[in-house]
Amino acid sequence: MLRHLTSQLTQYDEHEARSIVRLMLSDVYGLTFTDICAGALDRLDDAQRRQMDGMMRRLRAGEPVQYVTGKALFCGRTFHVRGGCLIPRPETEELCRWIVREAAPAAHILDIGTGSGCIAVTLKGEMPRTTVTAWDISAQALDIARENAALHHADITFRQQDALTPPDDRDTFDVIVSNPPYICRREAQEMEGNVLEYEPHVALFVPDSDPLLFYRSIARYSARALRRDGMLYFEINPGYARDIRELLLSCGFTDVTVRQDEYGKERMARGRKGAQSTE
């Protein structure tokens, strides 16, 4: 039965198809590989079989398995996901771990472009004494983020806010973190079809003519809104690592650091607000 399900996902190689099917069976039915080998699929009732048939149709069409199951694992926690938010990714986990290692236990943190809320909820969960605020321009994403905060009993303040027109906050936050849109439209042809067709474009793309659009706005806002010695953390497009470093320096940030992810790509950047960071 597992082999039959796997063989339907012809757009993937065998290993990836098997992983997708096993993830679906685990998330939806709680089945382990041992359960499957012991014939658990043959014992599904009619309603469960109809449900599985519907999920397999969606997977065959290329929909990401996380949207099909409604779940994604991030930093050891399960998050609700659906089409209104990006699927949390492993490189963003590394960004969260960096912040947890460096931030003060009772810091006031702002997550700009929260999406599913995975960063905000994770930071609150790992550092319970923090005060966490999270923005997103999408009302749909904020609904999902609130669900995830409630699921994990995380006290977070959510706000619908466009990162390109931020308020005039000053000396408010100790940490600002953002995983903003950073993929140029010209890069779309290189992307996986299931990402391009199903994940929200508002959270993915920036104009080809201005790839640093969101970074510039957030850096300038952070130069005002962070307290002195406050930290700004970004997930970044590796192709613009040097430009983002220069942007942070031009905004008065010090101790600017670009870090690689586990695959050796420059994927994260961080800067400290100095005495002159007052744009």
Side-chain angles (χ1 to χ4, degrees):
M1 183 67 159
L2 179 60
R3 185 175 299 170
H4 171 67
L5 295 175
T6 299
S7 68
Q8 297 180 41
L9 304 183
T10 56
Q11 68 269 53
Y12 305 106
D13 64 42
E14 183 179 357
H15 175 75
E16 187 173 6
R18 188 185 308 113
S19 296
I20 289 170
V21 171
R22 286 181 59 183
L23 181 60
M24 177 192 72
L25 296 174
S26 173
D27 281 354
V28 178
Y29 303 109
L31 298 179
T32 66
F33 184 62
T34 301
D35 295 329
I36 295 168
C37 291
L41 291 176
D42 296 326
R43 295 190 290 274
L44 295 178
D45 61 31
D46 289 343
Q48 290 171 323
R49 287 180 179 276
R50 287 193 296 272
Q51 180 188 33
M52 188 169 67
D53 288 344
M55 291 189 295
M56 288 302 302
R57 281 195 296 272
R58 294 168 67 183
L59 291 174
R60 289 196 299 272
E63 187 171 353
V65 64
Q66 293 89 347
Y67 287 158
V68 173
T69 65
K71 299 178 182 179
L73 190 65
F74 183 85
C75 285
R77 294 175 175 84
T78 298
F79 286 81
H80 294 157
V81 292
R82 50 185 182 269
C85 68
L86 292 181
I87 297 166
R89 287 173 167 78
E91 52 266 33
T92 312
E93 294 182 344
E94 296 183 58
L95 181 65
C96 287
R97 287 192 287 267
W98 193 9
I99 297 169
V100 169
R101 284 194 297 270
E102 294 189 340
H108 189 178
I109 299 173
L110 172 63
D111 174 23
I112 298 179
T114 196
S116 67
C118 62
I119 293 177
V121 170
T122 296
L123 296 179
K124 182 65 177 179
E126 296 298 318
M127 299 184 291
R129 291 170 55 200
T130 56
T131 300
V132 180
T133 301
W135 296 353
D136 206 286
I137 194 173
S138 166
Q140 188 177 5
L142 287 171
D143 286 343
I144 299 167
R146 289 188 181 99
E147 289 177 18
N148 285 317
L151 176 67
H152 294 288
H153 309 287
D155 183 11
I156 296 169
T157 300
F158 291 101
R159 174 176 171 180
Q160 189 170 13
Q161 175 66 54
D162 185 350
L164 298 180
T165 56
D168 189 26
D169 296 324
R170 301 204 176 245
D171 303 315
T172 303
F173 303 101
D174 301 296
V175 173
I176 295 177
V177 55
S178 184
N179 177 16
Y182 59 62
I183 301 172
C184 291
R185 289 283 176 178
R186 63 175 175 269
E187 298 177 79
Q189 61 186 357
E190 302 170 13
M191 297 174 64
E192 296 288 343
N194 58 353
V195 174
L196 192 59
E197 294 176 22
Y198 289 96
E199 298 201 51
H201 286 198
V202 68
L204 290 170
F205 291 110
V206 289
D208 290 347
S209 60
D210 193 1
L212 300 188
L213 175 66
F214 286 92
Y215 292 106
R216 187 183 309 107
S217 179
I218 293 168
R220 289 174 175 172
Y221 168 76
S222 299
R224 302 188 305 269
L226 282 168
R227 298 180 177 124
R228 185 169 179 178
D229 291 325
M231 305 295 288
L232 170 61
Y233 295 85
F234 279 134
E235 184 170 323
I236 66 174
N237 184 332
Y240 296 98
R242 178 178 296 180
D243 298 300
I244 291 168
R245 176 184 176 83
E246 292 175 357
L247 170 66
L248 291 174
L249 291 170
S250 72
C251 290
F253 286 91
T254 63
D255 194 21
V256 175
T257 303
V258 173
R259 292 186 62 169
Q260 295 179 347
D261 63 16
E262 62 180 316
Y263 304 107
K265 293 185 177 181
E266 292 182 313
R267 185 67 74 173
M268 297 161 279
R270 174 262 271 149
R272 182 187 306 274
K273 179 179 177 177
Q276 303 304 315
S277 302
T278 56
E279 285 208 7

